Amino acid sequence: MKWCRVPVGGHALLGVADAGGSVELLRLVQSEQNSYTLEPFSRFALEKRGLALSLDWSTGKAGRASDQPLKLISSDSNGQLSLLKVSEAGPGLQAVATWQAHHFEAWIAAFNYWQTEVVYSGGDDGLLKGWDTRTPPTSVFTSRRHSMGVCSIQSSPHQENVLATGSYDEHVLLWDTRNMKQPLADTPMQGGVWRLKWHPFHHHLLLAACMHGGFKILNCQRAVEEKQEACTVALSHILPNALVYGVDWSWLYFHRLPQAQPLFPLGSFPCSDPGAKTADVAYNLKVKGQSPASSSNPLVDDGEGGTKIQGGGRLKAPCGSQLHASRLQICDCDLYLEAANFDINLLATCSFYDHVLHLWKWDSS
């Protein structure tokens, strides 16, 4: 599932690649005051019977030109890629092209956010491929640098020509897309890398879901700017008896309220944007049930109910059901941007076996 970064017809759109072999768009609509629901907008069935395995929007980089078409790329279990366009006024999803990309499952497909005619794909055949969607089905390049199935790809929305890929071979590779013969950096992850997500504000931070290796945050600044051979692991955390398959950053940011300003209760709307909810956020949110296990990096009790990663940063236990008052709030509008605290980050993980979605707060200071 992925949200489109730009509104379509005045609504937010959620794209879903499902096990029935379809790509579906859901539209977020207000059903009543302070309440929203997702309603079906459009559905496209892929050509062959199989599973839709991934999708990506062409709008991963902030904004889009008025004449730029809104596109989706999807991959499936038959090894095919499907390029779709979204008609904002017409029937919704329409097919542009479908082609055979891999011999086995095409685990992942992703746009180059800076050149949206270019897409990348990774398959269970261990191949990373690049495509010019104006001239499929001939690939622009084929890389065998990963030794096992390629299952995660994301173009940087902040830095042109920077691409991250991950594989069952337990490595994250950082690429300069102008030279796909050799990666800029190769970072071992101690787990198959199923998902990669660049931070929405910190251009150099990359979040990785590493299956039995838990999740990790990489600092890629030196790898990009100084040609360091591997990215720095800023945080590593293993969940017990679980495989971490999904990760994502929150696009909300924290800000400190002036002492004279009252705290708003959960669900209030102090921002000018009515869709920008705020909530009281605690420093000491507790998780019900089993506490987080130790990771491959030593974790020590910080005395405040969280865990500290040696080498920098602090990871709080997953947020439970209780919210305690603090002088911090979350906002997704620009009203308090000057007071934003970008050292505090929210991230989410989901895992197999334990079927748990965790919400974490990371203090990178």
Side-chain angles (χ1 to χ4, degrees), residues 210-214 238-245 350-356 358:
C210 302
M211 302 174 69
H212 65 268
I238 294 177
L239 298 177
N241 305 314
L243 298 176
V244 179
Y245 272 95
C350 63
S351 45
F352 193 57
Y353 292 146
D354 60 354
H355 306 289
V356 174
H358 284 128

Side-chain angles (χ1 to χ4, degrees), residues 227-268:
K227 310 305 179 185
Q228 182 175 282
E229 293 184 355
C231 298
T232 302
V233 179
L235 181 144
S236 178
H237 192 74
I238 294 177
L239 298 177
N241 305 314
L243 298 176
V244 179
Y245 272 95
V247 290
D248 204 1
W249 299 99
S250 171
W251 282 63
L252 303 174
Y253 57 80
F254 286 78
H255 65 87
R256 289 197 174 275
L257 294 175
Q259 290 298 319
Q261 185 169 344
L263 288 172
F264 291 90
L266 180 65
S268 62

Side-chain angles (χ1 to χ4, degrees), residues 72-265:
L72 278 168
I73 188 72
S74 180
S75 66
D76 64 40
S77 58
N78 296 307
Q80 289 190 326
L81 301 187
S82 296
L83 180 67
L84 310 173
K85 68 177 180 179
V86 181
S87 175
E88 301 184 34
L93 284 170
Q94 297 173 296
V96 176
T98 298
W99 66 97
Q100 194 69 36
H102 296 272
H103 298 302
F104 305 109
E105 290 90 345
W107 291 120
I108 188 71
F111 279 97
N112 180 325
Y113 296 143
W114 301 81
Q115 302 177 55
T116 56
E117 296 84 9
V118 176
V119 298
Y120 307 104
S121 65
D124 208 50
D125 51 12
L127 301 180
L128 168 66
K129 293 186 175 185
W131 309 89
D132 186 330
T133 58
R134 295 166 295 190
T135 58
T138 303
S139 60
V140 176
F141 72 84
T142 298
S143 173
R144 294 175 171 81
R145 183 60 175 73
H146 282 291
S147 61
M148 298 179 71
V150 179
C151 43
S152 54
I153 302 172
Q154 195 178 38
S155 169
S156 170
H158 310 296
Q159 296 174 283
E160 191 173 2
N161 305 314
V162 174
L163 182 74
T165 64
S167 166
Y168 287 133
D169 66 8
E170 304 187 357
H171 286 253
V172 166
L173 302 183
L174 208 62
W175 303 85
D176 183 331
T177 57
R178 295 166 294 187
N179 178 17
M180 295 298 294
K181 294 182 179 179
Q182 185 71 20
L184 291 172
D186 182 344
T187 309
M189 303 297 283
Q190 290 81 48
V193 185
W194 189 253
R195 282 293 175 266
L196 291 169
K197 297 284 185 176
W198 290 101
H199 196 286
F201 309 123
H202 297 293
H203 299 179
H204 54 280
L205 292 182
L206 183 64
L207 178 61
C210 302
M211 302 174 69
H212 65 268
F215 65 93
K216 292 177 171 60
I217 298 174
L218 303 183
N219 186 328
C220 303
Q221 185 170 10
R222 289 187 176 179
V224 173
E225 298 176 0
E226 303 174 18
K227 310 305 179 185
Q228 182 175 282
E229 293 184 355
C231 298
T232 302
V233 179
L235 181 144
S236 178
H237 192 74
I238 294 177
L239 298 177
N241 305 314
L243 298 176
V244 179
Y245 272 95
V247 290
D248 204 1
W249 299 99
S250 171
W251 282 63
L252 303 174
Y253 57 80
F254 286 78
H255 65 87
R256 289 197 174 275
L257 294 175
Q259 290 298 319
Q261 185 169 344
L263 288 172
F264 291 90

Side-chain angles (χ1 to χ4, degrees), residues 5 7 10 12 28 30 34 36 251-253 267-278 330-336:
R5 294 298 180 197
L28 186 68
Q30 188 167 3
N34 298 348
Y36 292 82
W251 282 63
L252 303 174
Y253 57 80
S268 62
F269 299 87
C271 297
S272 57
D273 179 1
K277 292 188 179 182
T278 64
I330 314 173
C331 186
D332 66 352
C333 66
D334 295 332
L335 186 61
Y336 301 110

